Amino acid sequence: MKRLLLTLAATATLAVSLPAAAQFQKSEDAIKYRQGAFNLIAAHFGRVAAMASGRAPFDAKAAAENAALASTLASLPFGAFGEGTDKGLPNRAKADIWKDAAKFKAAGDKMVAEMGKLDAAAKTGSLDAIKAAVGGVGGSCKGCHDDFRAERYSN
Ligand code: ASC
């Protein structure tokens, strides 16, 4: 019994401490996961960005909710770029993601940090603060896309 409990405890510890990439059985699953996560981030960030640009009326509560969601989601895709997940489903990941992993990580961390600033700005309810933070997030999205996202989907 004691041994079983120790095994269970060890397994549980392993499950929480393994990198997120290890949760995917197949490359296809990792690609679906990261694409889904990026889509959700874009949807929630997009709602705030639309308010910041005047394309949508400003609603402080909706801005705060969407910024909080985008910030919560921001780091998720980066656990799904494990080695070997370049193929499996059509995707736009450039090889540099794995060749220059440190630079890719820095770009991801930058987006996560900017999204955290947007979350904080939206919590204040100030449209001016939101506008500035949206600019920071947008720049971090674009910077990473320029370097690491291909124009076309792979086959
Ligand atoms: C978005 C979105 C992106 C970024 C990018 C910023 O709202 O879906 O991919 O902003 O367009 O340059």
Side-chain angles (χ1 to χ4, degrees), residues 122-145:
K123 281 184 167 60
T124 72
S126 154
L127 182 56
D128 283 341
I130 291 170
K131 284 181 185 172
V134 161
V137 172
S140 71
C141 296
K142 184 176 186 308
C144 195
H145 291 164

Side-chain angles (χ1 to χ4, degrees), residues 38-39 41-47 49-50 55 134-135 137-143 145-146 149:
F38 279 129
N39 277 319
I41 293 164
H44 293 292
F45 170 63
R47 286 176 198 164
R55 278 175 287 128
V134 161
V137 172
S140 71
C141 296
K142 184 176 186 308
H145 291 164
D146 288 349
R149 187 175 71 166

